[in-house]
Amino acid sequence: MADSPSNESRLAPVAPSSRPVSEALLNDKWDRAISSAVIRGSLGLSFGVVFSVLLFKRRKWPALVGLGFGLGRAYEEADAAFKGGPTRSDTNGMRLVRS
């Protein structure tokens, strides 16, 4: 009974659903942008807190400036990734001038 043809037709393998390549690339870029924003923002905030405690008598603005620098750097990196511009490794240390 286990070898009957009706059971085989019900247990046919299902093809995995594949996303279009462009959607997968876009999802990867968003994942990298969000993770970069979280990491760089938290690093900037932590450096700001350290400088606030050590140098600025526990004021709030150094922590916010550090957070802003971190998020700004993450935004710049994500913007370059979405625009598809050359990365640092593509330029070989040369400055690119757009015409």
Side-chain angles (χ1 to χ4, degrees):
M1 281 192 13
D3 295 328
S4 67
S6 62
N7 284 341
E8 289 179 14
S9 62
R10 279 190 257 154
L11 300 176
V14 177
S17 61
S18 61
R19 297 180 298 190
V21 175
S22 61
E23 183 180 343
L25 289 174
L26 188 62
N27 286 342
D28 289 341
K29 287 180 182 181
W30 271 110
D31 289 343
R32 186 169 293 140
I34 292 170
S35 66
S36 177
V38 169
I39 291 170
R40 292 182 192 274
S42 62
L43 282 175
L45 181 66
S46 63
F47 276 114
V49 167
V50 168
F51 283 123
S52 173
V53 169
L54 294 178
L55 300 175
F56 297 108
K57 299 180 184 177
R58 298 185 187 217
R59 308 239 181 206
K60 188 182 355 177
W61 66 266
L64 295 177
V65 169
L67 177 66
F69 278 132
L71 291 178
R73 178 69 179 127
Y75 175 79
E76 185 249 339
E77 184 178 307
D79 188 40
F82 281 113
K83 286 184 178 177
T87 60
R88 285 188 175 203
S89 62
D90 294 340
T91 59
N92 295 327
M94 302 296 290
R95 182 174 169 222
L96 295 177
V97 178
R98 295 186 181 179
S99 53

